Structure formats: structure tokens, C-alpha cells
Amino acid sequence: MAIVSFKNTVIHNLFSKPKTRKVEKEYPQGTRGHVENDMDLCILCGLCSIKCPTHAITVDKAEKTWSIRPMSCIQCRCCVDNCPKKSLSMGLRFQEPGSEKVTKTFKQSEKAIAAQEALMKAAKERAAAAAAAKAAQAAQGGAAPAANAAAPAANPAPAANANPKE
Ligand code: SF4
Ligand code: SF4
């Protein structure tokens, strides 16, 4: 009798729809996802760390690393919206479950380091050129500012017109 019942169950299961749901391949609208950083773009400015309300992000400029504690993140996307290089994004997948409060650390890429060094070098060169131009201008027209400084005192018109009845 038990064998007949088992056989019926097998036949039923073979020709009926699965009782479980398939894993959804697309995340539902409104899924917040989790923070991802493109280390090719990140300049380690630290703005995301300052803006994060839960202090989940740490930036170490000396070590050239960017770290996040996923379990402290509340997916508010404040860091994403404030990143000047748009290197942060909300990856549309759920955070992996875990039992330990881990810190995920990412190293700034060689490409980003090179780009940042080039930017800093260009900024230094611009500052040096501006300082040299200013020095040259001061050397050429050093007397001009002194002559202009005397100009307001030489114009007594406002004082004379201050009280026309006198
Ligand atoms: S992720 Fe964006 S805001 Fe954060 S340190 Fe990098 S460049 Fe700056
Ligand atoms: S999404 Fe919000 S809580 Fe998470 S790291 Fe960014 S600023 Fe912090």
C-alpha cells in the first residue's frame, strides 16, 4: 500500500508545476543595492567619508586605500551623490549575508594614481606660472600702485559737497 502511495506521489510530482519560485533575475524597482567604488576613478578626496552618516567609509591617503564596512551602511546613497569623480555607484544586487562585521578595503589603482599625480603636477605648474607672472608684473610696474594709492586723497570733491549750505 505504501509503495502505491509513493508511486502516486512520484507520478504527481513528475507532471505538476514546481512548488518553489525561481530566483528573480531582475531586482525589483526600488532596490537600493550596495555601494561599489571604481578605484580607477577614485582620487581619495575623502568627501564620501565625511558625508556618510554612519561612518561606514574610511579613506587612507597614505596607504592609498578606500574601505567600507558593509554592515554599517544603510544604503542612503549620500556618498554616491556627493562623489566628485562619480566613482561610487549603488550596485544593483543585494549585499552578501555574513555573520562577521568585515571591512572591505580597496587599493587605488595605478591608473588613478598616475592621473592624480598628473593633475597635481599640472596644478603646481599653474601655481608656479601664476606666481612668476605676478612677480614679473610687480617688478615692471612697482611705482604704479603707490601713485594710485594717492589718488583718492587728491580728490576732495565728496568732502566739499558733504554740506552744500556752509
Ligand atoms: S569615492 Fe569619490 S568621494 Fe570618495 S574618496 Fe573617492 S573620489 Fe572622493
Ligand atoms: S550609502 Fe550612505 S551609509 Fe552607505 S556608505 Fe554611502 S553614505 Fe554611508
Side-chain angles (χ1 to χ4, degrees):
M1 196 65 184
I3 293 174
V4 173
S5 172
F6 179 67
K7 199 171 81 179
N8 286 344
T9 304
V10 170
I11 291 170
H12 174 77
N13 285 345
L14 278 176
F15 296 102
S16 62
K17 285 184 178 175
K19 295 286 187 289
T20 52
R21 281 187 303 163
K22 282 187 178 174
V23 173
E24 289 184 36
K25 287 187 180 158
E26 288 187 9
Y27 289 94
Q29 203 176 10
T31 301
R32 290 188 175 185
H34 71 283
V35 179
E36 288 179 348
N37 195 357
D38 182 349
M39 295 308 287
D40 278 350
L41 297 178
C42 178
I43 55 170
L44 299 177
C45 66
L47 205 54
C48 52
S49 172
I50 294 166
K51 294 284 181 181
C52 178
T54 62
H55 309 292
I57 297 175
T58 313
V59 173
D60 189 331
K61 290 184 184 180
E63 292 294 322
K64 298 194 182 298
T65 57
W66 181 92
S67 306
I68 186 166
R69 287 179 291 118
M71 285 197 178
S72 298
C73 174
I74 55 172
Q75 283 89 29
C76 67
R77 71 168 291 141
C78 194
C79 54
V80 175
D81 292 340
N82 283 286
C83 175
K85 301 302 285 181
K86 304 289 174 217
S87 71
L88 293 174
S89 60
M90 297 302 287
L92 267 189
R93 63 184 172 81
F94 297 127
Q95 188 66 51
E96 309 89 37
S99 58
E100 287 178 18
K101 289 187 176 180
V102 294
T103 300
K104 294 185 175 180
T105 300
F106 303 89
K107 191 104 179 152
Q108 192 181 29
S109 75
E110 293 298 325
K111 182 181 167 187
I113 292 171
Q116 197 173 353
E117 282 173 355
L119 277 175
M120 286 171 70
K121 191 178 167 195
K124 275 182 190 168
E125 283 171 0
R126 274 200 305 275
K134 202 173 170 185
Q137 197 179 13
Q140 280 175 2
N148 291 338
N155 185 6
N161 294 335
N163 191 352
K165 287 181 183 174
E166 287 178 6

